């Protein structure tokens, strides 16, 4: 076995590999860029080597720097994680030349599977079911049209060298094929430096289901069941689970066996993933093979009990797989949520900054579930613009799917992240979404269920009553503390100490304390809407997470002090709360409502960014859908279009100018 390995990656995956290596008694070497001097993976590793500037192209992507770091530290092998150099055959070859082991497959397998056209040919030869389509390079738009007509609409146009959901277009007719071909080709050229494009059938109502395979250098290949990753945004995974709620044993076995056949055909070794698209009749088609550890691998580990990184290291060291196919048993259910630094309320635009608070839920086994959080950050760390916006992967395991989802909901509700925008509210809302809970998924789920984007979930009457009880308890606990320190701040004379009104957003909820005395720890009956709720909590002023019981239901909610009240976050609901005496509530209802400013005649900058171009001039008439301006943020160009027909009256920004969020770019007449 190796004595020392180097991890050619950063963030959560570097930390995750280090954990397993440490458990196996292997010393670890981290590499880091300027932006990662204080990163968690650097602190966790036994040694760390600086490899250059923040830009990945000058640090994490430079094979020579990684090899030099191995030589400097005596690392015998390199784990590449995912992304960066993990699927570069030339990197494995360079390592081999230096006598350093690549913890992954052989260059030949990476090459064969790295190209979508080539890998489809391979898959066909191995009798793996592939998406019907044309297995050659499309020459031009007319050729694309002819092929699309043969395949039958809808079709998908894809970059052969593509990855990360880029260079892909759906086309429903001839015009879209022509346009899609041009755009897929230019995107492929600029993103991958390779403009080969092919066409296949677009599978309608598709589900993304993938098979984990594991192979050693002695010809043993097994599959470790599937993961379903149908919850995607722009072809990028957001939440995953194992097993899939859609597969029956017959389909699972067929997919598993075909995946093993493909792995054998490319003499695969190490961990790999064969991705399939599955239609509503459970026909499945090969999409691609990822020749590396997959982001969502923890859900497989949770249901199989196998540490995939450990097996990768053992296989790379020449060991045989310690199990056969018949030893692999799937146990229970696991769900993963990807926590991204992005703003769910602003079309998931990336967000950067310092994590002023980062308090993940407790990991480990409880009576009903297991919580695992793979993370690469810590409180006080900076989320920079240089790398992936993923901050953590939160996983839960339980005997059944619904229990795992419930555990995930609770873990998300207790996950405190401040200082940046993040998608926890979206994920928390997803866990309560009936269609997700029923397992009726497709890769179109997010687009179909949130056509206008995500907004905080509106509470129903029961949820309002519960949140009112939580807010009231917090207020009473705070008042109790104040009174213990100073005998002032009693309710105004004459006001009842039993009758209260909780304002939640725009609604008012009346509440009565059944047994008037506040005790600490808090345990009180509160009457709301004719029902009595027993509220028990050990919440203390200053705690960001309220844990307790309301009418027998366990509740984990977040409470943040804001001006004149609290903000509550629970299950994707986000509300301002204010506890008032009934007299105050009466008066507050009479207050004029402050209307938000009318912004319908303005084009606002949706995120902090740089103006790339302004497409209009003052006085110009513009039709709905036409481009008004292009703003760049975090290396992504965002095209701002007219939402309706309008006339431009004033231009307030110039190309090259950097704007704050909500800065006025244009005014309309
Ligand atoms: P990438 O290399 O970018 O991961 P994939 O080929 O794996 O590309 O496709 C990414 C996603 O795009 C899939 O998970 C699926 O949601 C969608 N997709 C790809 N091909 C098809 C297809 N033929 N029909 C329907 N959806 C598809
Ligand atoms: P506002 O728009 O009033 O500032 P947001 O709902 O956008 O309030 O939230 C502000 C911050 O609070 C977010 O950036 C995030 O860090 C945190 N936050 C919001 N909802 C949750 C939640 N459900 N769980 C954890 N943190 C949350
Ligand atoms: Mg893929």
């Amino acid at each position: 076995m190796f004595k020392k390995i180097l991890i050619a990656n950063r963030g959560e995956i570097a930390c995750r590999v280090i954990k397993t290596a440490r458990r196996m008694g292997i010393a670890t070497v981290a590499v880091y860029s300027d932006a990662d001097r204080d990163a968690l993976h650097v602190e966790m590793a036994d040694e760390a080597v600086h490899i250059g500037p923040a830009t990945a192209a000058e640090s994490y992507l430079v094979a020579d720097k990684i090899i030099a770091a191995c030589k400097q530290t005596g690392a015998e092998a390199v784990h590449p994680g995912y992304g960066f150099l993990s699927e570069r055959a030339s990197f494995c070859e360079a390592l081999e030349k230096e006598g350093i082991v690549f913890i992954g497959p052989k260059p030949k397998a990476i090459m064969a599977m790295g190209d979508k056209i080539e890998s489809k040919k391979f898959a066909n030869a191995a009798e793996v079911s592939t998406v019907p389509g044309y297995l050659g390079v499309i020459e031009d738009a007319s050729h694309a049209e002819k092929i699309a007509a043969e395949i039958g609409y809808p079709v998908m146009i894809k970059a052969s060298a593509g990855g990360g959901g880029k260079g892909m277009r759906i086309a429903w007719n001839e015009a879209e094929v022509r346009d899609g071909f041009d755009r897929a080709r230019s995107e492929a050229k600029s993103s991958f430096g390779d403009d080969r494009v092919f066409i296949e059938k677009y599978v309608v109502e598709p589900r993304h289901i993938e098979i984990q395979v594991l192979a050693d250098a002695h010809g043993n290949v097994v599959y470790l069941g599937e993961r379903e990753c149908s919850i995607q945004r722009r072809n990028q995974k957001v939440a995953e689970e194992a097993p899939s709620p859609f597969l029956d044993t017959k389909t699972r076995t067929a997919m598993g066996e075909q995946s093993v056949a493909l792995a054998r055909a490319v003499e695969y070794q190490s961990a790999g993933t064969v991705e399939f698209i599955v239609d509503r009749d459970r026909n499945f088609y090969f999409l691609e093979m990822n020749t590396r550890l997959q982001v969502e691998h923890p859900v497989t580990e949770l249901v199989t009990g196998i540490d995939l990184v450990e097996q990768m290291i053992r296989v790379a060291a020449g060991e045989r797989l310690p199990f056969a196919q018949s030893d692999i048993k799937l146990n229970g259910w696991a769900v993963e949520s990807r926590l991204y630094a992005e703003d769910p309320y602003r079309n998931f635009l990336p967000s950067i900054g310092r994590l002023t608070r980062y308090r993940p839920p407790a990991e480990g086994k409880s009576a009903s579930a297991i919580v695992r959080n793979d993370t690469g950050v810590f409180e006080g760390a900076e989320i920079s613009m240089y790398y992936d916006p993923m901050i953590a992967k939160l996983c839960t395991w339980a005997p059944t799917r619904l229990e795992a989802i419930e555990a995930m909901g609770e873990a998300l509700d207790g996950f405190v992240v401040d200082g940046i925008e993040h998608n926890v509210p979206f994920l928390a809302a997803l866990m309560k979404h009936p269609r997700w809970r029923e397992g009726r998924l497709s890769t179109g789920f997010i687009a179909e269920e949130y056509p206008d984007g995500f907004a905080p979930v509106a509470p129903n009457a029961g949820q309002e009553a519960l949140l009112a009880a939580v807010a009231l308890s917090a207020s009473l606990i705070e008042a109790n503390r104040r009174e213990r320190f100073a005998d002032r701040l009693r309710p105004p004379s004459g006001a009842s100490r039993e009758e209260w009104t909780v304002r939640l957003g725009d609604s008012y909820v009346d509440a009565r304390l059944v047994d008037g005395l506040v005790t600490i720890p808090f345990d009180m009956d509160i009457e709301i809407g004719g029902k009595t709720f027993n509220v028990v909590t050990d919440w203390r002023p200053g705690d960001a997470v309220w844990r307790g019981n309301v009418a027998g239901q366990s509740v984990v909610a977040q409470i943040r002090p804001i001006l004149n009240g609290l903000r509550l976050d629970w299950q994707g609901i986000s509300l301002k709360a204010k506890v008032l005496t009934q007299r105050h509530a009466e008066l507050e209802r009479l207050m004029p409502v402050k209307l938000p400013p009318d912004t319908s005649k303005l084009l606002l900058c949706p995120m902090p960014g740089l103006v790339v171009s302004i497409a209009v001039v003052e006085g110009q008439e513009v039709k709905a859908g036409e481009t008004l301006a292009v703003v760049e943020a975090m290396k992504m160009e965002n095209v701002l279009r007219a939402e309706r027909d309008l006339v431009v009256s004033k231009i307030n920004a110039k190309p090259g100018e950097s704007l704050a969020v909500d800065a006025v770019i244009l005014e309309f007449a």
Side-chain angles (χ1 to χ4, degrees), residues 64-87:
D64 290 344
K65 292 190 176 176
I66 306 291
I67 292 170
C70 289
K71 288 188 175 162
Q72 181 189 328
T73 55
E76 301 147 81
V78 172
H79 195 298
Y82 51 74
F84 294 136
L85 295 169
S86 62
E87 289 175 286

Side-chain angles (χ1 to χ4, degrees), residues 200-338:
E200 64 186 23
K201 179 97 187 144
Y202 176 70
V203 178
V204 184
E205 268 183 54
R207 301 175 72 127
H208 175 116
I209 301 179
E210 58 187 33
I211 301 285
Q212 176 71 54
V213 296
L214 195 54
D216 65 18
H218 309 278
N220 301 304
V221 188
V222 298
Y223 64 93
L224 305 182
E226 78 283 6
R227 295 182 284 262
E228 174 149 8
C229 321
S230 296
I231 303 294
Q232 304 185 346
R233 222 173 52 76
R234 296 207 202 107
N235 300 319
Q236 291 258 51
K237 299 161 188 168
V238 178
E240 304 96 341
E241 62 186 306
S244 157
F246 192 54
L247 289 198
D248 46 38
T249 314
K250 189 173 139 247
T251 317
R252 173 174 301 123
T253 309
M255 290 172 75
E257 284 172 357
Q258 290 196 12
S259 301
V260 167
L262 179 64
R264 284 193 195 288
V266 289
E267 291 169 33
Y268 200 80
Q269 49 175 288
S270 194
T273 296
V274 183
E275 296 191 331
F276 292 93
I277 200 97
V278 183
D279 74 11
R280 61 187 143 198
D281 304 315
R282 291 198 183 79
N283 298 309
F284 58 88
Y285 308 100
F286 168 78
L287 270 184
E288 64 165 344
M289 179 169 189
N290 292 325
T291 54
R292 55 169 162 83
L293 188 64
Q294 197 95 325
V295 176
E296 58 275 18
H297 75 278
V299 290
T300 298
E301 297 186 325
L302 285 165
V303 295
T304 59
I306 294 169
D307 182 329
L308 284 163
V309 170
E310 176 183 343
Q311 294 308 322
M312 289 178 83
I313 296 174
R314 291 192 182 285
V315 164
E319 290 186 18
R320 286 172 183 277
L321 290 183
F323 34 68
Q325 190 62 52
S326 55
D327 299 322
I328 312 291
K329 298 275 180 305
L330 302 184
N331 172 32
W333 217 283
V335 177
E336 172 178 280
S337 293
R338 296 192 190 190

Side-chain angles (χ1 to χ4, degrees), residues 345-520:
Y345 306 124
R346 281 176 180 263
N347 199 21
F348 301 91
L349 285 169
S351 169
I352 53 172
R354 192 166 295 284
L355 292 168
T356 54
R357 268 210 282 201
Y358 180 76
R359 312 265 166 90
E363 288 188 82
K365 197 169 174 165
S366 68
S368 52
I370 296 173
V371 175
R372 166 174 169 178
N373 186 44
D374 286 29
T375 191
V377 299
F378 52 90
E379 190 161 294
E382 180 96 22
I383 303 292
S384 79
M385 58 186 281
Y386 297 105
Y387 313 110
D388 193 278
M390 197 173 70
I391 34 185
K393 298 180 328 205
L394 181 64
C395 294
T396 52
W397 177 95
T400 65
R401 183 169 189 268
L402 267 185
E403 288 166 302
I405 290 174
E406 280 298 310
M408 176 61 76
E410 195 170 306
L412 285 165
D413 282 337
F415 204 132
V416 181
V417 183
D418 281 334
I420 55 156
E421 304 305 322
H422 56 78
N423 65 342
V424 166
F426 172 77
L427 294 166
L430 175 67
M431 294 305 137
K432 288 287 158 189
H433 198 294
R435 191 177 145 192
W436 155 255
R437 293 170 77 94
E438 285 163 32
R440 275 191 297 117
L441 310 180
S442 95
T443 57
F445 181 94
I446 292 179
E448 287 155 23
E449 299 300 321
Y450 303 96
D452 304 318
F454 175 70
V457 174
N460 60 32
Q463 290 169 321
E464 261 184 3
L466 185 148
L467 287 174
V470 167
L472 182 52
S473 75
S475 224
L476 293 170
I477 293 166
E478 265 173 351
N480 175 281
R481 166 127 112 192
R482 282 197 300 266
E483 284 179 21
R484 275 193 288 150
F485 290 108
D487 198 34
R488 33 192 187 112
L489 286 166
R490 299 191 167 278
S493 57
S496 159
R497 300 201 62 161
E498 277 82 45
E499 312 276 331
W500 299 92
T501 298
V502 183
R503 180 174 179 179
L504 285 172
D506 290 327
S507 43
Y508 292 83
V509 180
D510 289 333
R512 194 176 68 83
L513 311 188
V514 177
D515 41 359
L517 270 184
V518 174
T519 55
I520 302 292

Side-chain angles (χ1 to χ4, degrees), residues 509-559:
V509 180
D510 289 333
R512 194 176 68 83
L513 311 188
V514 177
D515 41 359
L517 270 184
V518 174
T519 55
I520 302 292
F522 190 87
D523 181 349
M524 186 181 262
D525 286 343
I526 300 178
E527 193 186 301
I528 297 172
K531 274 201 210 123
T532 303
F533 294 81
N534 178 244
V535 182
V536 182
T537 182
D538 54 9
W539 183 81
R540 293 277 182 283
D543 290 352
V545 180
W546 190 102
R547 280 174 204 284
N549 243 279
V550 179
Q553 183 188 342
S554 137
V555 176
V556 177
Q558 296 194 24
I559 294 193

Side-chain angles (χ1 to χ4, degrees), residues 6-308:
L6 181 143
I7 297 95
N9 215 302
R10 62 177 303 282
E12 64 87 15
I13 195 61
C15 299
R16 190 257 164 275
V17 175
I18 292 170
K19 270 190 198 160
T20 288
R22 169 148 313 150
R23 191 172 51 68
M24 295 172 71
I26 302 171
T28 52
V29 181
V31 290
Y32 64 96
S33 71
D34 286 346
D36 279 337
R37 273 181 202 288
D38 302 318
L40 190 60
H41 73 284
V42 175
E43 195 187 298
M44 278 177 71
D46 298 309
E47 284 171 79
V49 180
H50 176 244
I51 50 165
T55 323
E58 295 173 62
S59 50
Y60 295 106
L61 282 168
V62 184
D64 290 344
K65 292 190 176 176
I66 306 291
I67 292 170
C70 289
K71 288 188 175 162
Q72 181 189 328
T73 55
E76 301 147 81
V78 172
H79 195 298
Y82 51 74
F84 294 136
L85 295 169
S86 62
E87 289 175 286
R88 291 246 177 119
S90 59
F91 176 56
C92 315
E93 282 165 350
L95 285 176
E96 262 176 23
K97 244 184 238 147
E98 300 290 340
I100 303 164
V101 178
F102 179 72
I103 303 174
K106 293 291 165 208
K108 190 185 142 207
I110 298 181
M111 263 184 289
M113 293 295 115
D115 186 81
K116 289 193 203 293
I117 295 180
E118 289 311 310
S119 69
K120 260 184 100 169
K121 286 185 183 158
F122 244 105
N124 266 344
E127 286 175 37
V128 173
S129 154
T130 57
V131 187
Y134 179 71
L135 272 182
V137 179
I138 305 291
E139 305 301 336
D140 53 33
S142 314
H143 188 203
E145 230 180 71
K146 181 169 159 279
I147 297 295
E150 280 169 26
I151 296 171
Y153 288 99
V155 297
M156 193 135 187
I157 306 159
K158 280 189 180 179
S160 191
K166 268 199 214 132
M168 241 184 258
R169 287 283 182 290
I170 304 170
W172 295 82
N173 54 49
E174 281 176 16
E176 286 181 9
V177 161
R178 289 188 154 280
D179 184 53
F181 172 80
D182 288 338
R183 287 200 288 154
R185 188 153 77 163
S186 72
E187 216 169 288
K189 177 96 191 150
S190 67
S191 303
F192 314 110
D194 175 344
D195 69 354
R196 287 170 307 131
V197 160
F198 67 105
I199 298 187
E200 64 186 23
K201 179 97 187 144
Y202 176 70
V203 178
V204 184
E205 268 183 54
R207 301 175 72 127
H208 175 116
I209 301 179
E210 58 187 33
I211 301 285
Q212 176 71 54
V213 296
L214 195 54
D216 65 18
H218 309 278
N220 301 304
V221 188
V222 298
Y223 64 93
L224 305 182
E226 78 283 6
R227 295 182 284 262
E228 174 149 8
C229 321
S230 296
I231 303 294
Q232 304 185 346
R233 222 173 52 76
R234 296 207 202 107
N235 300 319
Q236 291 258 51
K237 299 161 188 168
V238 178
E240 304 96 341
E241 62 186 306
S244 157
F246 192 54
L247 289 198
D248 46 38
T249 314
K250 189 173 139 247
T251 317
R252 173 174 301 123
T253 309
M255 290 172 75
E257 284 172 357
Q258 290 196 12
S259 301
V260 167
L262 179 64
R264 284 193 195 288
V266 289
E267 291 169 33
Y268 200 80
Q269 49 175 288
S270 194
T273 296
V274 183
E275 296 191 331
F276 292 93
I277 200 97
V278 183
D279 74 11
R280 61 187 143 198
D281 304 315
R282 291 198 183 79
N283 298 309
F284 58 88
Y285 308 100
F286 168 78
L287 270 184
E288 64 165 344
M289 179 169 189
N290 292 325
T291 54
R292 55 169 162 83
L293 188 64
Q294 197 95 325
V295 176
E296 58 275 18
H297 75 278
V299 290
T300 298
E301 297 186 325
L302 285 165
V303 295
T304 59
I306 294 169
D307 182 329
L308 284 163

